[in-house]
Amino acid sequence: MKHYITHTSNGTDVYVNLIGSAAAERISRSPYLLVLVKELLSGKSIAGTTYSMEWDMGRTIGNSYVVETDAKDTIVYAQRLRDNVYTRFAKNARPKPTQYLTVILKKDDEGRYELVNTWVGRLSPPRPGSDDETKDSRPYWDTHAFVYEDEPLQHRTVTKECPY
């Protein structure tokens, strides 16, 4: 189900697939993300086949659930439900207020942009072990983690040993 969001300052339409996309999952938990994405993209000129950006919205817009970690943090690795990639979690961390919004767009065959993913917080590289892992993934995720807040995990995958 394609939902129109806005058009960019150079006239390109932006939409989100509200069924089954990563963006839809996040929007379903935080519907105000659509308002923030519209605010951000309506003033931007976008080009290219994929477009990833973080933007300082100039005010606190929510909490970031990816935090920097150090030796005193309790770290565990696990696969979320319906996910085959391990995620690094900080069990004793708290979300931090942020002004940043991240959007990831991909141009479709009709020349429009699909909002592939969005979240409150800074742009981060893909997780190690994912199909889109980059050379920056492991160094970044060695020092950052998701704040663990009772989310459903595949319990047989929980480990304190780094799986990658």
Side-chain angles (χ1 to χ4, degrees):
M1 179 175 150
K2 293 180 181 177
H3 174 78
Y4 172 80
I5 300 172
T6 190
H7 60 272
T8 63
S9 65
N10 57 333
T12 306
D13 287 343
V14 179
Y15 68 92
V16 62
N17 181 349
L18 289 176
I19 307 292
S21 71
E25 185 178 327
R26 292 184 190 254
I27 290 167
S28 71
R29 286 185 267 157
S30 303
Y32 73 96
L33 279 170
L34 276 177
V35 174
L36 294 171
V37 169
K38 181 177 182 177
E39 178 186 337
L40 172 63
L41 294 178
S42 61
K44 297 282 178 249
S45 178
I46 298 173
T49 56
T50 58
Y51 192 82
S52 301
M53 70 177 293
E54 67 178 27
W55 191 258
D56 184 339
M57 299 297 286
R59 64 191 185 280
T60 299
I61 59 170
N63 290 318
S64 175
Y65 285 81
V66 173
V67 295
E68 197 165 352
T69 59
D70 59 32
K72 60 184 183 257
D73 288 309
T74 303
I75 302 296
V76 296
Y77 301 85
Q79 293 175 347
R80 293 177 168 134
L81 287 183
R82 294 179 293 282
D83 192 0
N84 61 353
V85 177
Y86 276 86
T87 300
R88 188 171 190 258
F89 292 101
K91 290 187 84 175
N92 59 325
R94 299 281 177 250
K96 298 198 185 312
T98 185
Q99 299 186 157
Y100 286 89
L101 176 67
T102 294
V103 296
I104 301 174
L105 305 169
K106 185 174 184 181
K107 193 175 238 182
D108 68 14
D109 294 337
E110 298 170 9
R112 300 176 300 168
Y113 281 101
E114 178 180 357
L115 177 67
V116 176
N117 209 342
T118 185
W119 61 86
V120 172
R122 312 269 328 228
L123 182 63
S124 55
R127 293 171 295 154
S130 64
D131 291 339
D132 49 355
E133 178 180 353
T134 67
K135 65 177 178 59
D136 297 328
S137 294
R138 288 183 189 219
Y140 180 86
W141 289 107
D142 282 345
T143 60
H144 291 79
F146 282 88
V147 173
Y148 180 74
E149 288 194 327
D150 296 327
E151 67 183 279
L153 302 175
Q154 297 178 44
H155 292 287
R156 64 176 172 70
T157 66
V158 177
T159 180
K160 289 185 178 185
E161 299 297 319
C162 180
Y164 42 80

